[in-house]
Amino acid sequence: MKITTLLFDLDGTLINTNELIIASFMHTLEKFYPGKYKREHVIPFMGPTLTESFSTVDENRVDELITEYRRFNVEMHDEFVEEYETVYETIETLHEQGYKIGIVTTKARNVVEMGLSYSRLKQFFDVVITIDDVQNAKPHPEPIQLALKKLNATPEETIMVGDNYHDIEGGKNAGTKTAGVVWSLKGKEFLESYHPDYMLEKMSDILTIIGSEEK
């Protein structure tokens, strides 16, 4: 079936927020638990919601930890965030060619808006689904299903693109095709173990994929 719709994760997929996220976790954990956490401890926190991640640290202080994390994250946003190669041109091309394109992220809307403004990508997207819009985060299908509903698209004509297993599993749970990105902080082999339909070496590869799907 012809691909008409592309859904993208934001962090680590469209924009490089990895160092911002790691720094935000490190700052927060160092403030509350000095000397206890190192960089390698926070890598597994990339992808799950803040509530899920901080629940593994201290179930009784989750709200406190999230508040400090978000304060630092917003304050330091533009100092850390970078754009991945070919992302802007690819999203612009998809928009110009009339594809339905959306973002499905586990981030809060205010920080999502900052990232989209910084990267100049906001103008291209038809829908943006954040953690504030749903009861369940990826890999639950709800956020992807909501995006499809708003775009008036079916799973069969959609590819979900992301850098983490939540994106691949979420896409599969919602019935879409899936694409992983090799620039994932978790590594290419980790993502391939979840068997996405495609792996992108760079974002512009998606144009080749949807071109071949149409033939």
Side-chain angles (χ1 to χ4, degrees):
M1 179 177 281
K2 182 175 184 282
I3 297 299
T4 67
T5 307
L6 294 118
L7 301 177
F8 297 87
D9 179 52
L10 182 63
D11 289 336
T13 301
L14 294 175
I15 56 175
N16 187 353
T17 49
N18 291 332
E19 290 306 318
L20 173 66
I21 293 169
I22 291 168
S24 300
F25 275 120
M26 290 302 297
H27 162 82
T28 304
L29 293 168
E30 186 62 27
K31 178 173 179 175
F32 285 86
Y33 311 97
K36 189 177 177 185
Y37 289 89
K38 293 186 170 68
R39 182 185 172 95
E40 59 265 28
H41 295 136
V42 307
I43 300 298
F45 294 165
M46 311 286 280
T49 64
L50 290 177
T51 300
E52 289 170 329
S53 293
F54 282 129
S55 290
T56 67
V57 174
D58 187 342
E59 285 187 351
N60 299 316
R61 301 182 82 173
V62 171
D63 291 344
E64 214 178 337
L65 291 164
I66 288 176
T67 298
E68 182 59 28
Y69 174 100
R70 286 187 168 154
R71 185 197 65 75
F72 181 91
N73 191 272
V74 168
E75 187 179 309
M76 302 301 289
H77 184 279
D78 289 1
E79 288 191 38
F80 281 94
V81 174
E82 299 174 343
E83 195 175 280
Y84 291 113
E85 65 166 330
T86 77
V87 163
Y88 185 88
E89 304 91 318
T90 302
I91 300 302
E92 183 180 39
T93 299
L94 291 169
H95 175 73
E96 287 173 351
Q97 292 183 355
Y99 287 93
K100 302 173 186 177
I101 51 177
I103 286 173
V104 182
T105 172
T106 52
K107 240 185 176 176
R109 183 164 293 277
N110 65 322
V111 191
V112 171
E113 294 290 342
M114 288 179 69
L116 289 177
S117 298
Y118 179 85
S119 60
R120 317 180 319 284
L121 292 170
K122 184 177 180 179
Q123 58 187 314
F124 302 129
F125 285 97
D126 304 303
V127 66
V128 178
I129 304 299
T130 73
I131 194 69
D132 302 324
D133 302 312
V134 293
Q135 295 293 315
N136 303 286
K138 295 173 295 185
H140 193 284
E142 183 192 351
I144 294 171
Q145 289 169 340
L146 179 59
L148 294 176
K149 182 179 179 183
K150 287 180 177 287
L151 291 168
N152 194 24
T154 65
E156 295 77 18
E157 60 189 348
T158 302
I159 301 177
M160 175 71 214
V161 182
D163 69 310
N164 213 322
Y165 76 89
H166 301 76
D167 306 306
I168 308 305
E169 295 283 279
K172 288 179 186 292
N173 290 338
T176 72
K177 287 189 167 68
T178 56
V181 299
V182 301
W183 55 92
S184 167
L185 195 65
K186 297 286 180 73
K188 181 179 180 180
E189 289 183 4
F190 174 81
L191 267 196
E192 283 182 332
S193 72
Y194 289 89
H195 308 293
D197 296 293
Y198 312 102
M199 284 295 289
L200 310 181
E201 297 286 337
K202 56 187 184 303
M203 188 57 80
S204 54
D205 289 349
I206 199 74
L207 299 173
T208 308
I209 288 167
I210 57 181
S212 65
E213 284 285 332
E214 290 175 7
K215 291 184 175 61

